[in-house]
Each structure stands twice: as structure tokens, then as C-alpha cells.
Amino acid sequence: MEPVSTQPEEEGPLDELLQRAATLGDEGRWEEARDLLLEQLDEHAEEAALLCWLGVASRELGSDGEAYEFFRRTLAAEPQDPFILATAGNGVAVYDDPDAESALRLAAITAPDLAFARVSYGAYLAREGMFDDAVRELEAARELAADESGVRAELAIAYLLSGRRDEGIAELEEALALDSQDAWLRGLFGMALLEAGRSEEAAEALHRAAEERPGDMEAQLLAALASAAEGWEDEAWNALARAELSAEEVDAALLQEVEEVIGTGADEAREFLATELAPTLLRERLLQRP
């Protein structure tokens, strides 16, 4: 999920600083935000809100290890603010840190009317395989924020992981209606449609997702196979060409296999996509942390 604005648990001298950092973040100026926060770190080393924002800024800058340490320090400061708990809990969950569960649960319990807290906890539970509890939290989040794409997407993921495919597809449709530019989500939608046997719709979704994510090698392979299965030869070879441009050396064998399958014919492409590539990629991507 996207970073959320956090505030100190009590009004204090850091209010203006944190608001400035939030503004810089909203403008995409994360390096400036991190530098601003770091200037105050020595003096306020135990301030949970400051540490949490440093974690968010570091994550946005791609410094994942540094972000994790700041989120760990945030939780060690024992915050009570549900925004801070949920943000830091999400941050450490990426590393399968056991402290994530207690932080996210406390956020949801103490702020049951806060959609961000409920969806964060529900998303965690879904990826841990606790589907009944996950769906309960995520459906509660939907009641609170039905117009937020991220909420609908996380509920869709929980439904799909728990085998409730039709409900998952319906929620993905709602999420994409709210955010039609989310190409990652569109790829999930295409794979779910494929699993439901809606091959032409799946091919259309996968083709569009691949065009919108040209550097995503796996998305290109999905689109190439789905297009080939529908007899869209030009689209299939174009997607395969994009896959080759973004592939790494370790991908060479898979690329060659997909190329051979596409050259064999539509039926073979459909079979390989439906039984080999798409099911594996769908589950991998559903399990990825937000």
C-alpha cells in the first residue's frame, strides 16, 4: 500500500518538521524529506513518528535495508498511534518479521474505524494463510473505504488466495474501475480471468498490462502466450521481443521455451500458459507484500 501520513502521538516540537517531510513526500522529493528528518535524528532518536517517516522515505528511495531498520526502531519505541503501528508493521512484514503481526493487530484493534489499519492487518493475515480472519478485516475495510482501489485490491487478493475466485475477480474489476492506471493489478486480473476460463478477456487484460509495463519480463511472457492462444500473432511476437529486451541471463531458458511453444501453435500456447506459467506467477504475485 502507499505510505500514509503519520503524526506524532502528542503535539510537540516535531509537528512542523513532520508536516514538511510529508509535503516533500507528496511532491516526490523523498531524498530531501529523508535529509530533513536525519538532521533531527540524534536529538529525537526515540520519536516513533520521526523514525517511521524515515522508514517510509528510505523505502521510497529504494534503501530497503535501511527502511527495515527504521521500522524496527519505530516499533521498539512502542508507539500507540495506529497509523504509525500499521505503517511500521507493513514495513517489517516484508521481511517476515514476527513483530509485524502484533503491531498490525494492535492498530486494527485500537482503531477499528480506520480503513488503513484494517486493510493492513487483513492483507497480512491473507498472506499468512489465515483467510477467514483476513476476509473479515478486509470486508470491514471495504465498508469504511469502498472507494479506495487499494482496499478493493487487497480484498480481491484474499478472496483469490482462499479459492473464492469469482468474488476475487469482481473485486479486481472494482479496484480497476477506481484506478484504471494500475497495470500490476491488471496483470493479476488477466491471470484470474484465465483461471476462470475467460481466455479472450484474459488476453486483452494481459496484453494491456504488458504494454503498460514494458520492463516486466514475466508480464511480456504472459501476454505473448495469451495472444498466441487467441491467434494474435503480431501481438504475441511483439510481447516476446519486449521480454527479450528486459530479460536477464537466468531467464534465457524460459524465454527459449516460450518462443518454441508460440511457434508450435495456439493450442500449445494456451496449454502452456494455463498449466505452467500463469498459475505459478499468479500465486507468486498474490503473495507479494504490498
Side-chain angles (χ1 to χ4, degrees):
M1 296 186 65
E2 293 297 319
V4 298
S5 296
T6 58
Q7 297 292 336
E9 294 169 23
E10 298 179 0
E11 292 296 316
L14 290 179
D15 283 359
E16 186 176 343
L17 173 76
L18 294 175
Q19 185 56 52
R20 175 61 178 155
T23 299
L24 289 169
D26 288 341
E27 296 171 356
R29 298 158 63 186
W30 286 108
E31 189 168 355
E32 292 177 60
R34 183 171 64 176
D35 290 345
L36 179 67
L37 296 165
L38 284 172
E39 290 175 2
Q40 300 297 319
L41 183 58
D42 288 342
E43 185 177 351
H44 301 283
E46 302 303 318
E47 172 56 60
L50 177 66
L51 293 166
C52 188
W53 263 115
L54 276 166
V56 171
S58 298
R59 182 177 62 195
E60 291 297 313
L61 291 168
S63 301
D64 294 339
E66 184 178 81
Y68 174 63
E69 289 305 317
F70 280 126
F71 288 134
R72 286 284 301 157
R73 289 174 63 180
T74 300
L75 296 180
E78 300 183 350
Q80 299 302 310
D81 185 291
F83 280 111
I84 296 174
L85 282 165
T87 302
N90 283 331
V92 301
V94 175
Y95 295 88
D96 296 321
D97 191 306
D99 287 342
E101 191 278 337
S102 57
L104 294 169
R105 174 164 43 84
L106 182 59
I109 290 172
T110 57
D113 294 330
L114 182 63
F116 178 63
R118 302 298 291 270
V119 73
S120 296
Y121 187 38
Y124 173 85
L125 292 170
R127 289 169 177 83
E128 293 297 313
M130 292 177 275
F131 300 125
D132 290 343
D133 291 339
V135 167
R136 183 184 66 247
E137 293 295 325
L138 291 164
E139 288 180 344
R142 181 178 59 184
E143 290 296 315
L144 296 166
D147 59 347
E148 290 190 15
S149 174
V151 171
R152 307 302 289 262
E154 288 297 344
L155 179 55
I157 288 169
Y159 282 149
L160 291 171
L161 285 171
S162 62
R164 296 165 64 172
R165 186 181 61 210
D166 291 344
E167 290 168 285
I169 289 173
E171 286 298 316
L172 285 175
E173 287 184 299
E174 293 294 335
L176 285 166
L178 292 165
D179 184 2
S180 62
Q181 303 305 308
D182 192 332
W184 171 270
L185 202 59
R186 195 175 305 283
L188 292 183
F189 182 54
M191 286 185 277
L193 288 172
L194 186 69
E195 192 176 68
R198 296 160 62 177
S199 60
E200 185 173 358
E201 293 173 83
E204 291 172 354
L206 293 170
H207 172 66
R208 180 175 170 183
E211 287 195 322
E212 293 170 349
R213 292 175 60 87
D216 185 338
M217 192 272 293
E218 293 172 339
Q220 305 311 318
L221 295 182
L222 288 167
L225 288 163
S227 297
E230 295 302 313
W232 307 341
E233 293 188 7
D234 289 345
E235 289 84 351
W237 292 112
N238 287 338
L240 188 63
R242 290 194 300 267
E244 291 172 347
L245 288 174
S246 58
E248 299 180 2
E249 186 175 347
V250 295
D251 303 317
L254 179 58
L255 274 168
Q256 183 177 355
E257 186 174 14
V258 170
E259 183 174 2
E260 291 173 356
V261 168
I262 291 174
T264 304
D267 290 341
E268 289 76 7
R270 183 177 298 106
E271 177 70 14
F272 186 84
L273 177 64
T275 63
E276 298 291 334
L277 189 61
T280 300
L281 286 181
L282 177 59
R283 181 161 181 81
E284 286 179 0
R285 296 198 172 198
L286 290 173
L287 288 172
Q288 289 183 10
R289 301 288 182 186

